[in-house]
Every structure is written in structure tokens, then in C-alpha cells.
Amino acid sequence: MRGNELLTIGDLARRTGLSVSAIRFYEGRGLVSAIRTSGNQRRFLRSDIRRLSFALIAQKLGLTIEEIGAELAGLPQGRTPTLADWNRISRHFRAEIDRRIALLERTRDKLDQCIGCGCLSLRKCGLYNPGDVAGGEGEGPRFVLHR
Amino acid sequence: MRGNELLTIGDLARRTGLSVSAIRFYEGRGLVSAIRTSGNQRRFLRSDIRRLSFALIAQKLGLTIEEIGAELAGLPQGRTPTLADWNRISRHFRAEIDRRIALLERTRDKLDQCIGCGCLSLRKCGLYNPGDVAGGEGEGPRFVLHR
DNA sequence: GTTTGACCTCAACTTATGTTGAGGTTGTAG
DNA sequence: CTACAACCTCAACATAAGTTGAGGTCAAAC
């Protein structure tokens, strides 16, 4: 960074903690876009630091690059996200987190039942496939966690 | 399955819900092992249904194939898992689930704070990197969720 | 004006978890 | 005893999310 308003890719990497190659990759996927110097080097806006910060947080929550791109598509390039932007995206994140917590809690409850019931009988276990003992049909344990 | 005690790979696939190719893959990774007929076809024990059921449940919890292999290594091939086996593995699963729930709850709390504080100021937000506003150093948002 | 670190593109590689297909063999039902 | 579904191996492909390297260019500090 040279005191002017635009960031090189290296600047952006230092400010976000991302690698240079990852930023190029994200540019390819549309998470940020860069203007080019006459010599074909990328220059980024300061607001791209925030875009990539969003991306990193979202990624921690398990969103794919594509999903993150979809969220970010609502944030016009070069504008600092407003409170409304942030709230909209936050609500998605919040819902996603809640969904995951609920899934894990259901799984934990099943597991606890299973530990409690000594279910190596394989008869009543919510985790095991009853078909194992009961007969030759049924869906198989792949489908048993009832997500 | 022909009424005798050994299962073909197709039998095992039907009983577990796995694909034949996945079972071959798992065999290569040591999750199950097969005996061979004189004509080189695999034959599995009934207890392998349970091994693979374990594997599928563990995988839902996010364990890698390698980690699952490590768990299963404690279950001697060809023996039906005992209650003690099951309890030991269940405790690992339980702990893993709890760890994940706790992580998500911490993230959710941070997110709630962040929504509440209107933190587009980028000053007090636990999710954003303060370095963005405060100066040129700091770790970057990559490290901000404090897992 | 030269040097040198930072930048450029493009292709190939990485890891995890499998799937798909080609080309060939087995085993069992009729 | 033959037909044919099910099996075998091995290699290549698929996906996500990048990294690494080769070969070459830019820009800014001296």
C-alpha cells in the first residue's frame, strides 16, 4: 500500500489474512473484482477487505464459495456495506447456525438414547438400521439420522 | 445372500445402503476386510454390516475415513461389537458433537452481538477484524472467530 | 537506468471421498 | 452346460477449494 486509495493484491492479502493465490481464486469466482493498471496488475478497493471478511466468516459457517458469491452479489461492488446489508446477511447466517445446532442436538439425543438402551440388540436403536436384524429390506443406516 | 453365513459385496451394499464401489473403497482404507473365494470374489462377515453402520454414523458426525478407521481398529474383525466397544466409541462421538455445538453457539453469540451493536462501525465487532479500521497490522479476520 | 520484489497467466498438482467405465472373470439358475 | 448378472482390477474422472511452479512482466527505490 502506497498511501493512495487503491490496494495491490499483496496489500489485500495482508489485510485479510488470505493468500494471494486465494484472492485470485476468489476473483475468478466473483467474490471480488479488481480494476487493472495499465500494466495489467490488479488494484482493489478498500471495501474489498470487508467483502472478503464477509466471505471468510461465511466460510467458517460452512457456506460454499458459490453460496457466498450469491450473498455478496447483493452488495454492490465498491460500496461499503450498509447496516441493512449486514442485517440481511446476518439473518441468513443466524438461521444457518441455528439449523446446524438443531441437527447436532437431534443427533446427540439419538446417541444418548442409544447409549442408554444398550442397543447393541440393534432392535430399537435410532442410529442403527433396524433392517439389519428385522429383515432384508429397509433403507439402510445411510438414511437413519433423520436429518 | 444365499442363505449361508457370508455376504457378497452386493449383499453388503444392500444391507448398508452403501454403493458397491464405496465398500471397495472402504476396504482399501481398512474399514472392513474381506475374505476371498477361490475365484477372487469378496465375502464379508455379518458383523461387517455393523462396522459399516458405525462408519456411516461417524461420518455424519464429520469424522474422516482415517479417523473412523482408527476407531474401528479397536473392534476386532469378525467379532460383534460389545456394549463396552459401543460405549467407548459413543463417548468419542458424544464429545465431538458437544464440541461442535459449543463452537456454533459461540459463533452465534458473536453474531448476535454484532447485529445488536450496529457494528458496521467495524470498531467493536467480534467477527470483523478491528485492524481493518485501527491500522495496518493485526491478524486479519481469518483468526477472528476464536475457535 | 537498473535492479529486484511483487505482480501476471496458465496448467498441473493436492486432499478427501468416492464414481464411472473398460475390459475381463465368476458363479449360479435354468 | 450355458447364459448372464454380479463380480474383479485398474485408471480416469468428479468436486471443492485452493496451492505450486514455470515462464514472463511491472513498478518503484536507488
Side-chain angles (χ1 to χ4, degrees), chain B residues 78-135:
Chain B
R79 200 196 72 210
T80 296
T82 65
L83 188 55
D85 292 330
W86 176 231
N87 279 338
R88 178 176 52 71
I89 292 184
S90 297
R91 274 194 300 274
H92 286 202
F93 285 3
R94 216 327 179 152
E96 174 67 14
I97 292 173
D98 284 343
R99 208 186 57 71
R100 283 156 182 264
I101 289 176
L103 172 60
L104 284 174
E105 282 172 346
R106 280 200 301 281
T107 304
R108 183 176 61 184
D109 290 349
K110 284 216 175 291
L111 187 59
D112 282 350
Q113 274 189 343
C114 196
I115 293 173
C117 78
C119 74
L120 282 169
S121 75
L122 298 182
R123 265 174 213 294
K124 342 176 228 177
C125 180
L127 291 166
Y128 265 153
N129 173 24
D132 180 13
V133 152

Side-chain angles (χ1 to χ4, degrees), chain A residues 77-134:
Chain A
Q77 187 65 30
R79 199 197 73 208
T80 296
T82 65
L83 187 54
D85 292 329
W86 175 231
N87 279 337
R88 179 176 51 72
I89 293 183
S90 297
R91 272 195 301 275
H92 286 201
F93 286 1
R94 214 332 178 149
E96 174 66 14
I97 292 173
D98 284 343
R99 209 186 57 72
R100 284 157 180 264
I101 289 176
L103 173 60
L104 284 174
E105 282 172 345
R106 281 201 302 281
T107 304
R108 183 176 63 184
D109 290 348
K110 284 217 174 289
L111 187 59
D112 282 351
Q113 275 189 341
C114 197
I115 292 171
C117 78
C119 74
L120 281 170
S121 76
L122 297 183
R123 265 174 215 293
K124 343 177 227 180
C125 180
L127 292 167
Y128 265 152
N129 175 22
D132 181 13
V133 152

Side-chain angles (χ1 to χ4, degrees), chain A:
Chain A
M1 204 153 56
R2 285 147 211 80
N4 56 12
E5 69 290 338
L6 294 177
L7 307 177
T8 67
I9 196 168
D11 295 333
L12 191 54
R14 277 184 291 280
R15 298 295 289 272
T16 58
L18 287 167
S19 67
V20 167
S21 68
I23 295 173
R24 291 200 187 105
F25 178 76
Y26 290 155
E27 189 201 21
R29 299 314 202 78
L31 301 200
V32 280
S33 65
I35 49 187
R36 299 291 182 131
T37 65
S38 58
N40 199 35
Q41 294 195 356
R42 291 169 180 86
R43 291 296 180 267
F44 295 90
L45 300 171
R46 280 183 173 282
S47 58
D48 289 326
I49 298 171
R50 303 213 228 306
R51 287 179 78 91
L52 291 181
S53 297
F54 268 140
L56 286 168
I57 293 167
Q59 213 172 16
K60 283 233 174 61
L61 303 184
L63 304 205
T64 64
I65 294 295
E66 189 171 9
E67 288 163 341
I68 295 166
E71 292 284 359
L72 284 173
L75 298 182
Q77 187 65 30
R79 199 197 73 208
T80 296
T82 65
L83 187 54
D85 292 329
W86 175 231
N87 279 337
R88 179 176 51 72
I89 293 183
S90 297
R91 272 195 301 275
H92 286 201
F93 286 1
R94 214 332 178 149
E96 174 66 14
I97 292 173
D98 284 343
R99 209 186 57 72
R100 284 157 180 264
I101 289 176
L103 173 60
L104 284 174
E105 282 172 345
R106 281 201 302 281
T107 304
R108 183 176 63 184
D109 290 348
K110 284 217 174 289
L111 187 59
D112 282 351
Q113 275 189 341
C114 197
I115 292 171
C117 78
C119 74
L120 281 170
S121 76
L122 297 183
R123 265 174 215 293
K124 343 177 227 180
C125 180
L127 292 167
Y128 265 152
N129 175 22
D132 181 13
V133 152
E137 81 300 15
E139 294 287 48
R142 174 186 280 303
F143 313 107
V144 165
L145 283 184
H146 314 300
R147 359 170 75 215

